[in-house]
């Protein structure tokens, strides 16, 4: 069966404004307004074109975390096309590791980093998320499957992060994660809930 690119992605990718961000493709000439953060995205066939609800909620959460100007380091686990890493770099985060287990996703993210001229701020790696918890960061973002997320938040390094964003969770999965977090020295600042689908959690680790 042959389908068009738009059918595969669920629709044409038009210039899109989300919060302070303006997303566009390399093949559409787009001029951002003053104060907008312009992100050029070529999603290819990889998840993460800023249209999905989890991506939108993560962008809002990252803007909240970065609003104080103290977030300078970040690990983005399950980066997909790199959209959250790109947004964070434009908000002032200057040392970012973006990780994805799928090779085609890592390649797509690298291309998007290059398209936006952010190679000095973002390093994209192809690997397991659990292998990149070896360093403390100001912001840890995970938009990833439940079994991997549970490993992440139960690791000792998780509590070395200052802020965290956990997303890609169904309602039951979010309840499991919240039960684990309840036993840890963390504070939940906000949760985004969309029915039984797509829960996102923003929190901080107690100093």
């Amino acid at each position: 069966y042959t389908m068009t690119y738009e059918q595969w992605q669920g629709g044409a990718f038009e210039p899109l404004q989300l919060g302070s961000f303006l997303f566009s493709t390399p093949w559409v000439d787009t001029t951002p307004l003053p104060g907008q953060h312009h992100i050029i995205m070529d999603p290819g066939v990889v998840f993460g074109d800023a249209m999905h609800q989890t991506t939108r909620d993560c962008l809002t959460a990252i803007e909240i975390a970065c609003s104080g100007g103290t977030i300078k380091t970040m690990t983005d686990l399950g980066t997909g096309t790199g959209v959250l890493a790109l947004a964070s770099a434009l908000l002032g985060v200057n040392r970012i590791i973006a990780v994805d287990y799928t090779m085609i996703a890592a390649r797509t993210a690298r291309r998007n980093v290059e398209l936006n001229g952010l190679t000095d701020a973002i390093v994209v790696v192809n690997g397991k998320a659990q292998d990149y918890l070896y360093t403390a960061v100001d912001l840890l973002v995970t938009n990833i499957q439940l079994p991997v997320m549970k490993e992440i938040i139960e690791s000792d390094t998780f509590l070395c992060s200052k802020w965290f964003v956990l997303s890609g969770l169904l309602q039951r999965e979010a309840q499991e994660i919240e039960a684990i977090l309840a036993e840890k020295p963390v504070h939940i600042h906000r949760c985004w809930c969309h029915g039984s689908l797509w829960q996102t959690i923003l929190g901080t680790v107690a100093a």
Side-chain angles (χ1 to χ4, degrees):
Y1 181 77
T2 302
M3 66 178 70
T4 65
Y5 181 78
E6 287 75 15
Q7 287 173 319
W8 172 253
Q9 286 286 15
F13 185 45
E14 303 290 343
L16 173 69
Q17 181 176 347
L18 294 174
S20 65
F21 300 103
L22 176 66
F23 296 90
S24 66
T25 59
W27 53 86
V28 175
D29 187 15
T30 305
T31 303
L33 297 174
Q36 283 185 325
H37 299 294
H38 186 201
I39 297 178
I40 302 171
M41 290 291 301
D42 183 358
V45 295
V46 177
F47 173 81
D49 61 0
M51 296 295 291
H52 197 273
Q53 190 62 57
T54 59
T55 307
R56 296 180 180 217
D57 291 340
C58 284
L59 286 170
T60 302
I62 289 169
E63 283 196 278
I64 293 172
C66 291
S67 61
T70 61
I71 306 297
K72 297 301 177 184
T73 59
M74 169 186 172
T75 302
D76 178 20
L77 302 177
T79 195
T81 58
V83 59
L84 300 180
L86 294 167
S88 300
L90 293 180
L91 291 172
V93 187
N94 53 29
R95 290 175 55 201
I96 301 171
I97 298 175
V99 184
D100 206 285
Y101 185 69
T102 306
M103 176 61 78
I104 192 172
R107 288 176 177 170
T108 301
R110 283 194 195 104
R111 169 165 164 73
N112 286 325
V113 170
E114 292 167 359
L115 282 171
N116 288 274
L118 293 170
T119 54
D120 288 343
I122 304 171
V123 174
V124 180
V125 295
N126 174 220
K128 293 174 62 178
Q130 303 94 313
D131 293 340
Y132 290 87
L133 295 171
Y134 52 79
T135 184
V137 290
D138 297 327
L139 175 61
L140 175 67
V141 177
T142 69
N143 190 358
I144 212 162
Q145 295 177 340
L146 177 65
V148 179
M149 187 178 293
K150 289 172 72 172
E151 286 188 52
I152 290 167
I153 66 173
E154 289 174 342
S155 70
D156 292 336
T157 313
F158 175 73
L159 294 177
C160 295
S161 303
K162 296 178 181 177
W163 287 80
F164 58 85
V165 178
L166 311 176
S167 191
L169 299 164
L170 302 177
Q171 185 178 50
R172 176 189 56 79
E173 295 173 339
Q175 291 170 349
E176 286 189 50
I177 294 299
E178 288 170 352
I180 296 172
L181 293 175
E183 302 297 322
K184 297 183 177 294
V186 302
H187 174 68
I188 305 302
H189 289 269
R190 184 171 170 184
C191 295
W192 288 262
C193 305
H194 300 276
S196 60
L197 294 176
W198 313 135
Q199 319 286 300
T200 298
I201 300 169
L202 170 66
T204 52
V205 176

PDB file of all heavy atoms in Angstrom, residues 41-77:
ATOM      1  N   MET A  41      11.900  22.268  11.833  1.00  0.00           N
ATOM      2  CA  MET A  41      11.725  20.840  12.083  1.00  0.00           C
ATOM      3  C   MET A  41      11.556  20.071  10.784  1.00  0.00           C
ATOM      4  O   MET A  41      10.742  20.432   9.942  1.00  0.00           O
ATOM      5  CB  MET A  41      10.471  20.600  12.930  1.00  0.00           C
ATOM      6  CG  MET A  41      10.574  21.060  14.373  1.00  0.00           C
ATOM      7  SD  MET A  41      11.725  20.041  15.313  1.00  0.00           S
ATOM      8  CE  MET A  41      10.978  18.436  15.120  1.00  0.00           C
ATOM      9  N   ASP A  42      12.363  19.029  10.631  1.00  0.00           N
ATOM     10  CA  ASP A  42      12.140  18.049   9.578  1.00  0.00           C
ATOM     11  C   ASP A  42      11.887  16.718  10.282  1.00  0.00           C
ATOM     12  O   ASP A  42      12.827  15.993  10.604  1.00  0.00           O
ATOM     13  CB  ASP A  42      13.345  17.958   8.653  1.00  0.00           C
ATOM     14  CG  ASP A  42      13.107  16.988   7.496  1.00  0.00           C
ATOM     15  OD1 ASP A  42      12.030  16.369   7.457  1.00  0.00           O
ATOM     16  OD2 ASP A  42      14.007  16.860   6.642  1.00  0.00           O
ATOM     17  N   PRO A  43      10.615  16.391  10.574  1.00  0.00           N
ATOM     18  CA  PRO A  43      10.330  15.199  11.369  1.00  0.00           C
ATOM     19  C   PRO A  43      10.600  13.887  10.664  1.00  0.00           C
ATOM     20  O   PRO A  43      10.692  12.845  11.303  1.00  0.00           O
ATOM     21  CB  PRO A  43       8.835  15.342  11.704  1.00  0.00           C
ATOM     22  CG  PRO A  43       8.287  16.198  10.605  1.00  0.00           C
ATOM     23  CD  PRO A  43       9.400  17.136  10.227  1.00  0.00           C
ATOM     24  N   GLY A  44      10.759  13.926   9.332  1.00  0.00           N
ATOM     25  CA  GLY A  44      10.966  12.672   8.612  1.00  0.00           C
ATOM     26  C   GLY A  44       9.818  11.715   8.891  1.00  0.00           C
ATOM     27  O   GLY A  44       8.652  12.080   8.778  1.00  0.00           O
ATOM     28  N   VAL A  45      10.154  10.489   9.301  1.00  0.00           N
ATOM     29  CA  VAL A  45       9.108   9.509   9.644  1.00  0.00           C
ATOM     30  C   VAL A  45       9.122   9.224  11.133  1.00  0.00           C
ATOM     31  O   VAL A  45       8.561   8.245  11.598  1.00  0.00           O
ATOM     32  CB  VAL A  45       9.309   8.190   8.853  1.00  0.00           C
ATOM     33  CG1 VAL A  45       9.136   8.427   7.371  1.00  0.00           C
ATOM     34  CG2 VAL A  45      10.680   7.575   9.141  1.00  0.00           C
ATOM     35  N   VAL A  46       9.727  10.116  11.924  1.00  0.00           N
ATOM     36  CA  VAL A  46       9.905   9.897  13.357  1.00  0.00           C
ATOM     37  C   VAL A  46       8.861  10.667  14.145  1.00  0.00           C
ATOM     38  O   VAL A  46       8.464  11.767  13.766  1.00  0.00           O
ATOM     39  CB  VAL A  46      11.326  10.335  13.789  1.00  0.00           C
ATOM     40  CG1 VAL A  46      11.526  10.183  15.289  1.00  0.00           C
ATOM     41  CG2 VAL A  46      12.366   9.520  13.029  1.00  0.00           C
ATOM     42  N   PHE A  47       8.422  10.099  15.290  1.00  0.00           N
ATOM     43  CA  PHE A  47       7.469  10.765  16.165  1.00  0.00           C
ATOM     44  C   PHE A  47       8.093  12.029  16.739  1.00  0.00           C
ATOM     45  O   PHE A  47       9.243  12.035  17.144  1.00  0.00           O
ATOM     46  CB  PHE A  47       7.078   9.832  17.316  1.00  0.00           C
ATOM     47  CG  PHE A  47       6.219  10.503  18.372  1.00  0.00           C
ATOM     48  CD1 PHE A  47       4.861  10.650  18.180  1.00  0.00           C
ATOM     49  CD2 PHE A  47       6.787  10.984  19.530  1.00  0.00           C
ATOM     50  CE1 PHE A  47       4.072  11.261  19.140  1.00  0.00           C
ATOM     51  CE2 PHE A  47       6.013  11.595  20.503  1.00  0.00           C
ATOM     52  CZ  PHE A  47       4.657  11.733  20.302  1.00  0.00           C
ATOM     53  N   GLY A  48       7.288  13.099  16.823  1.00  0.00           N
ATOM     54  CA  GLY A  48       7.765  14.299  17.475  1.00  0.00           C
ATOM     55  C   GLY A  48       7.783  15.515  16.579  1.00  0.00           C
ATOM     56  O   GLY A  48       8.824  16.119  16.368  1.00  0.00           O
ATOM     57  N   ASP A  49       6.615  15.899  16.023  1.00  0.00           N
ATOM     58  CA  ASP A  49       6.555  17.066  15.161  1.00  0.00           C
ATOM     59  C   ASP A  49       5.862  18.241  15.850  1.00  0.00           C
ATOM     60  O   ASP A  49       5.427  19.174  15.196  1.00  0.00           O
ATOM     61  CB  ASP A  49       5.852  16.730  13.836  1.00  0.00           C
ATOM     62  CG  ASP A  49       4.402  16.279  14.044  1.00  0.00           C
ATOM     63  OD1 ASP A  49       3.945  16.228  15.199  1.00  0.00           O
ATOM     64  OD2 ASP A  49       3.731  15.996  13.038  1.00  0.00           O
ATOM     65  N   ALA A  50       5.753  18.170  17.194  1.00  0.00           N
ATOM     66  CA  ALA A  50       5.132  19.204  18.039  1.00  0.00           C
ATOM     67  C   ALA A  50       3.607  19.166  17.993  1.00  0.00           C
ATOM     68  O   ALA A  50       2.957  19.965  18.657  1.00  0.00           O
ATOM     69  CB  ALA A  50       5.630  20.601  17.663  1.00  0.00           C
ATOM     70  N   MET A  51       3.030  18.243  17.247  1.00  0.00           N
ATOM     71  CA  MET A  51       1.581  18.150  17.164  1.00  0.00           C
ATOM     72  C   MET A  51       0.990  17.301  18.288  1.00  0.00           C
ATOM     73  O   MET A  51      -0.158  17.505  18.678  1.00  0.00           O
ATOM     74  CB  MET A  51       1.170  17.554  15.810  1.00  0.00           C
ATOM     75  CG  MET A  51       1.548  18.401  14.610  1.00  0.00           C
ATOM     76  SD  MET A  51       0.672  19.988  14.584  1.00  0.00           S
ATOM     77  CE  MET A  51      -1.002  19.428  14.255  1.00  0.00           C
ATOM     78  N   HIS A  52       1.749  16.358  18.827  1.00  0.00           N
ATOM     79  CA  HIS A  52       1.214  15.443  19.819  1.00  0.00           C
ATOM     80  C   HIS A  52       1.025  16.139  21.163  1.00  0.00           C
ATOM     81  O   HIS A  52       1.802  17.013  21.547  1.00  0.00           O
ATOM     82  CB  HIS A  52       2.140  14.238  19.983  1.00  0.00           C
ATOM     83  CG  HIS A  52       1.490  13.072  20.657  1.00  0.00           C
ATOM     84  ND1 HIS A  52       1.459  12.933  22.017  1.00  0.00           N
ATOM     85  CD2 HIS A  52       0.842  12.001  20.142  1.00  0.00           C
ATOM     86  CE1 HIS A  52       0.824  11.819  22.330  1.00  0.00           C
ATOM     87  NE2 HIS A  52       0.447  11.242  21.208  1.00  0.00           N
ATOM     88  N   GLN A  53      -0.013  15.728  21.896  1.00  0.00           N
ATOM     89  CA  GLN A  53      -0.339  16.385  23.155  1.00  0.00           C
ATOM     90  C   GLN A  53       0.794  16.281  24.172  1.00  0.00           C
ATOM     91  O   GLN A  53       1.065  17.235  24.917  1.00  0.00           O
ATOM     92  CB  GLN A  53      -1.622  15.794  23.750  1.00  0.00           C
ATOM     93  CG  GLN A  53      -2.168  16.576  24.935  1.00  0.00           C
ATOM     94  CD  GLN A  53      -2.558  17.988  24.553  1.00  0.00           C
ATOM     95  OE1 GLN A  53      -3.371  18.205  23.656  1.00  0.00           O
ATOM     96  NE2 GLN A  53      -1.966  18.981  25.216  1.00  0.00           N
ATOM     97  N   THR A  54       1.478  15.143  24.219  1.00  0.00           N
ATOM     98  CA  THR A  54       2.572  15.026  25.187  1.00  0.00           C
ATOM     99  C   THR A  54       3.690  16.020  24.870  1.00  0.00           C
ATOM    100  O   THR A  54       4.287  16.601  25.783  1.00  0.00           O
ATOM    101  CB  THR A  54       3.151  13.598  25.210  1.00  0.00           C
ATOM    102  OG1 THR A  54       3.629  13.252  23.905  1.00  0.00           O
ATOM    103  CG2 THR A  54       2.121  12.590  25.653  1.00  0.00           C
ATOM    104  N   THR A  55       3.964  16.221  23.594  1.00  0.00           N
ATOM    105  CA  THR A  55       4.996  17.180  23.207  1.00  0.00           C
ATOM    106  C   THR A  55       4.601  18.588  23.627  1.00  0.00           C
ATOM    107  O   THR A  55       5.409  19.349  24.167  1.00  0.00           O
ATOM    108  CB  THR A  55       5.240  17.134  21.692  1.00  0.00           C
ATOM    109  OG1 THR A  55       5.499  15.791  21.295  1.00  0.00           O
ATOM    110  CG2 THR A  55       6.415  18.011  21.300  1.00  0.00           C
ATOM    111  N   ARG A  56       3.348  18.940  23.408  1.00  0.00           N
ATOM    112  CA  ARG A  56       2.868  20.272  23.778  1.00  0.00           C
ATOM    113  C   ARG A  56       2.951  20.490  25.282  1.00  0.00           C
ATOM    114  O   ARG A  56       3.386  21.546  25.756  1.00  0.00           O
ATOM    115  CB  ARG A  56       1.430  20.455  23.293  1.00  0.00           C
ATOM    116  CG  ARG A  56       1.282  20.430  21.779  1.00  0.00           C
ATOM    117  CD  ARG A  56      -0.158  20.625  21.363  1.00  0.00           C
ATOM    118  NE  ARG A  56      -0.294  20.602  19.915  1.00  0.00           N
ATOM    119  CZ  ARG A  56      -1.136  21.367  19.223  1.00  0.00           C
ATOM    120  NH1 ARG A  56      -1.909  22.225  19.864  1.00  0.00           N
ATOM    121  NH2 ARG A  56      -1.208  21.293  17.915  1.00  0.00           N
ATOM    122  N   ASP A  57       2.536  19.487  26.042  1.00  0.00           N
ATOM    123  CA  ASP A  57       2.591  19.617  27.498  1.00  0.00           C
ATOM    124  C   ASP A  57       4.027  19.705  27.994  1.00  0.00           C
ATOM    125  O   ASP A  57       4.332  20.463  28.922  1.00  0.00           O
ATOM    126  CB  ASP A  57       1.876  18.434  28.162  1.00  0.00           C
ATOM    127  CG  ASP A  57       0.371  18.466  27.937  1.00  0.00           C
ATOM    128  OD1 ASP A  57      -0.154  19.548  27.612  1.00  0.00           O
ATOM    129  OD2 ASP A  57      -0.280  17.410  28.079  1.00  0.00           O
ATOM    130  N   CYS A  58       4.915  18.932  27.391  1.00  0.00           N
ATOM    131  CA  CYS A  58       6.332  18.995  27.766  1.00  0.00           C
ATOM    132  C   CYS A  58       6.913  20.372  27.461  1.00  0.00           C
ATOM    133  O   CYS A  58       7.708  20.904  28.249  1.00  0.00           O
ATOM    134  CB  CYS A  58       7.131  17.918  27.040  1.00  0.00           C
ATOM    135  SG  CYS A  58       6.919  16.251  27.710  1.00  0.00           S
ATOM    136  N   LEU A  59       6.536  20.947  26.337  1.00  0.00           N
ATOM    137  CA  LEU A  59       7.012  22.291  26.009  1.00  0.00           C
ATOM    138  C   LEU A  59       6.568  23.299  27.058  1.00  0.00           C
ATOM    139  O   LEU A  59       7.351  24.160  27.491  1.00  0.00           O
ATOM    140  CB  LEU A  59       6.498  22.711  24.626  1.00  0.00           C
ATOM    141  CG  LEU A  59       7.162  22.057  23.424  1.00  0.00           C
ATOM    142  CD1 LEU A  59       6.384  22.372  22.152  1.00  0.00           C
ATOM    143  CD2 LEU A  59       8.607  22.512  23.276  1.00  0.00           C
ATOM    144  N   THR A  60       5.309  23.205  27.491  1.00  0.00           N
ATOM    145  CA  THR A  60       4.808  24.102  28.535  1.00  0.00           C
ATOM    146  C   THR A  60       5.563  23.891  29.833  1.00  0.00           C
ATOM    147  O   THR A  60       5.960  24.850  30.506  1.00  0.00           O
ATOM    148  CB  THR A  60       3.305  23.868  28.762  1.00  0.00           C
ATOM    149  OG1 THR A  60       2.596  24.067  27.539  1.00  0.00           O
ATOM    150  CG2 THR A  60       2.753  24.832  29.809  1.00  0.00           C
ATOM    151  N   ALA A  61       5.783  22.622  30.190  1.00  0.00           N
ATOM    152  CA  ALA A  61       6.505  22.309  31.420  1.00  0.00           C
ATOM    153  C   ALA A  61       7.935  22.839  31.379  1.00  0.00           C
ATOM    154  O   ALA A  61       8.443  23.390  32.364  1.00  0.00           O
ATOM    155  CB  ALA A  61       6.503  20.797  31.651  1.00  0.00           C
ATOM    156  N   ILE A  62       8.596  22.687  30.238  1.00  0.00           N
ATOM    157  CA  ILE A  62       9.974  23.156  30.090  1.00  0.00           C
ATOM    158  C   ILE A  62      10.035  24.678  30.178  1.00  0.00           C
ATOM    159  O   ILE A  62      10.946  25.240  30.805  1.00  0.00           O
ATOM    160  CB  ILE A  62      10.569  22.653  28.760  1.00  0.00           C
ATOM    161  CG1 ILE A  62      10.815  21.140  28.842  1.00  0.00           C
ATOM    162  CG2 ILE A  62      11.862  23.391  28.416  1.00  0.00           C
ATOM    163  CD1 ILE A  62      11.141  20.497  27.513  1.00  0.00           C
ATOM    164  N   GLU A  63       9.058  25.365  29.592  1.00  0.00           N
ATOM    165  CA  GLU A  63       9.026  26.826  29.701  1.00  0.00           C
ATOM    166  C   GLU A  63       8.897  27.262  31.159  1.00  0.00           C
ATOM    167  O   GLU A  63       9.536  28.232  31.594  1.00  0.00           O
ATOM    168  CB  GLU A  63       7.875  27.395  28.869  1.00  0.00           C
ATOM    169  CG  GLU A  63       8.145  27.442  27.382  1.00  0.00           C
ATOM    170  CD  GLU A  63       7.192  28.347  26.633  1.00  0.00           C
ATOM    171  OE1 GLU A  63       6.081  27.905  26.321  1.00  0.00           O
ATOM    172  OE2 GLU A  63       7.561  29.521  26.380  1.00  0.00           O
ATOM    173  N   ILE A  64       8.070  26.555  31.931  1.00  0.00           N
ATOM    174  CA  ILE A  64       7.919  26.876  33.352  1.00  0.00           C
ATOM    175  C   ILE A  64       9.232  26.662  34.091  1.00  0.00           C
ATOM    176  O   ILE A  64       9.683  27.514  34.863  1.00  0.00           O
ATOM    177  CB  ILE A  64       6.801  26.021  33.982  1.00  0.00           C
ATOM    178  CG1 ILE A  64       5.434  26.404  33.393  1.00  0.00           C
ATOM    179  CG2 ILE A  64       6.787  26.182  35.507  1.00  0.00           C
ATOM    180  CD1 ILE A  64       4.304  25.482  33.802  1.00  0.00           C
ATOM    181  N   ALA A  65       9.860  25.512  33.851  1.00  0.00           N
ATOM    182  CA  ALA A  65      11.116  25.195  34.538  1.00  0.00           C
ATOM    183  C   ALA A  65      12.221  26.190  34.190  1.00  0.00           C
ATOM    184  O   ALA A  65      13.028  26.561  35.049  1.00  0.00           O
ATOM    185  CB  ALA A  65      11.552  23.778  34.188  1.00  0.00           C
ATOM    186  N   CYS A  66      12.244  26.636  32.941  1.00  0.00           N
ATOM    187  CA  CYS A  66      13.318  27.525  32.476  1.00  0.00           C
ATOM    188  C   CYS A  66      13.041  28.999  32.750  1.00  0.00           C
ATOM    189  O   CYS A  66      13.905  29.847  32.501  1.00  0.00           O
ATOM    190  CB  CYS A  66      13.542  27.333  30.982  1.00  0.00           C
ATOM    191  SG  CYS A  66      14.265  25.728  30.536  1.00  0.00           S
ATOM    192  N   SER A  67      11.860  29.312  33.264  1.00  0.00           N
ATOM    193  CA  SER A  67      11.474  30.718  33.414  1.00  0.00           C
ATOM    194  C   SER A  67      12.352  31.464  34.411  1.00  0.00           C
ATOM    195  O   SER A  67      12.489  32.689  34.326  1.00  0.00           O
ATOM    196  CB  SER A  67      10.006  30.825  33.836  1.00  0.00           C
ATOM    197  OG  SER A  67       9.795  30.186  35.099  1.00  0.00           O
ATOM    198  N   GLY A  68      12.958  30.752  35.352  1.00  0.00           N
ATOM    199  CA  GLY A  68      13.809  31.423  36.335  1.00  0.00           C
ATOM    200  C   GLY A  68      15.229  31.654  35.873  1.00  0.00           C
ATOM    201  O   GLY A  68      16.022  32.308  36.572  1.00  0.00           O
ATOM    202  N   GLY A  69      15.593  31.111  34.718  1.00  0.00           N
ATOM    203  CA  GLY A  69      16.926  31.320  34.165  1.00  0.00           C
ATOM    204  C   GLY A  69      18.022  30.511  34.823  1.00  0.00           C
ATOM    205  O   GLY A  69      19.210  30.781  34.601  1.00  0.00           O
ATOM    206  N   THR A  70      17.648  29.496  35.615  1.00  0.00           N
ATOM    207  CA  THR A  70      18.669  28.704  36.322  1.00  0.00           C
ATOM    208  C   THR A  70      18.955  27.360  35.666  1.00  0.00           C
ATOM    209  O   THR A  70      19.846  26.637  36.107  1.00  0.00           O
ATOM    210  CB  THR A  70      18.220  28.449  37.772  1.00  0.00           C
ATOM    211  OG1 THR A  70      16.989  27.706  37.768  1.00  0.00           O
ATOM    212  CG2 THR A  70      18.018  29.755  38.527  1.00  0.00           C
ATOM    213  N   ILE A  71      18.208  27.006  34.634  1.00  0.00           N
ATOM    214  CA  ILE A  71      18.401  25.718  33.973  1.00  0.00           C
ATOM    215  C   ILE A  71      19.466  25.868  32.893  1.00  0.00           C
ATOM    216  O   ILE A  71      19.254  26.539  31.880  1.00  0.00           O
ATOM    217  CB  ILE A  71      17.088  25.204  33.347  1.00  0.00           C
ATOM    218  CG1 ILE A  71      15.967  25.168  34.388  1.00  0.00           C
ATOM    219  CG2 ILE A  71      17.303  23.822  32.729  1.00  0.00           C
ATOM    220  CD1 ILE A  71      16.208  24.237  35.538  1.00  0.00           C
ATOM    221  N   LYS A  72      20.617  25.227  33.093  1.00  0.00           N
ATOM    222  CA  LYS A  72      21.711  25.315  32.134  1.00  0.00           C
ATOM    223  C   LYS A  72      22.114  23.948  31.577  1.00  0.00           C
ATOM    224  O   LYS A  72      22.778  23.885  30.541  1.00  0.00           O
ATOM    225  CB  LYS A  72      22.928  25.980  32.793  1.00  0.00           C
ATOM    226  CG  LYS A  72      22.670  27.421  33.241  1.00  0.00           C
ATOM    227  CD  LYS A  72      22.249  28.295  32.064  1.00  0.00           C
ATOM    228  CE  LYS A  72      21.926  29.714  32.497  1.00  0.00           C
ATOM    229  NZ  LYS A  72      21.421  30.542  31.365  1.00  0.00           N
ATOM    230  N   THR A  73      21.755  22.869  32.269  1.00  0.00           N
ATOM    231  CA  THR A  73      22.096  21.524  31.796  1.00  0.00           C
ATOM    232  C   THR A  73      20.834  20.671  31.753  1.00  0.00           C
ATOM    233  O   THR A  73      19.940  20.824  32.581  1.00  0.00           O
ATOM    234  CB  THR A  73      23.140  20.858  32.710  1.00  0.00           C
ATOM    235  OG1 THR A  73      22.621  20.779  34.049  1.00  0.00           O
ATOM    236  CG2 THR A  73      24.441  21.646  32.710  1.00  0.00           C
ATOM    237  N   MET A  74      20.777  19.749  30.788  1.00  0.00           N
ATOM    238  CA  MET A  74      19.558  18.960  30.585  1.00  0.00           C
ATOM    239  C   MET A  74      19.896  17.621  29.965  1.00  0.00           C
ATOM    240  O   MET A  74      20.817  17.505  29.146  1.00  0.00           O
ATOM    241  CB  MET A  74      18.595  19.731  29.673  1.00  0.00           C
ATOM    242  CG  MET A  74      17.398  18.945  29.167  1.00  0.00           C
ATOM    243  SD  MET A  74      16.452  19.920  27.977  1.00  0.00           S
ATOM    244  CE  MET A  74      15.286  18.714  27.373  1.00  0.00           C
ATOM    245  N   THR A  75      19.144  16.607  30.358  1.00  0.00           N
ATOM    246  CA  THR A  75      19.158  15.322  29.666  1.00  0.00           C
ATOM    247  C   THR A  75      17.751  15.061  29.148  1.00  0.00           C
ATOM    248  O   THR A  75      16.777  15.134  29.902  1.00  0.00           O
ATOM    249  CB  THR A  75      19.595  14.173  30.601  1.00  0.00           C
ATOM    250  OG1 THR A  75      20.891  14.459  31.122  1.00  0.00           O
ATOM    251  CG2 THR A  75      19.638  12.861  29.850  1.00  0.00           C
ATOM    252  N   ASP A  76      17.647  14.773  27.850  1.00  0.00           N
ATOM    253  CA  ASP A  76      16.359  14.523  27.190  1.00  0.00           C
ATOM    254  C   ASP A  76      16.335  13.062  26.756  1.00  0.00           C
ATOM    255  O   ASP A  76      17.002  12.686  25.784  1.00  0.00           O
ATOM    256  CB  ASP A  76      16.217  15.469  25.990  1.00  0.00           C
ATOM    257  CG  ASP A  76      14.934  15.239  25.205  1.00  0.00           C
ATOM    258  OD1 ASP A  76      13.995  14.642  25.761  1.00  0.00           O
ATOM    259  OD2 ASP A  76      14.874  15.670  24.035  1.00  0.00           O
ATOM    260  N   LEU A  77      15.587  12.248  27.484  1.00  0.00           N
ATOM    261  CA  LEU A  77      15.551  10.809  27.233  1.00  0.00           C
ATOM    262  C   LEU A  77      14.317  10.455  26.400  1.00  0.00           C
ATOM    263  O   LEU A  77      13.191  10.744  26.789  1.00  0.00           O
ATOM    264  CB  LEU A  77      15.537  10.049  28.562  1.00  0.00           C
ATOM    265  CG  LEU A  77      16.729  10.335  29.492  1.00  0.00           C
ATOM    266  CD1 LEU A  77      16.579   9.582  30.809  1.00  0.00           C
ATOM    267  CD2 LEU A  77      18.046   9.975  28.812  1.00  0.00           C
TER     268      LEU A  77
END
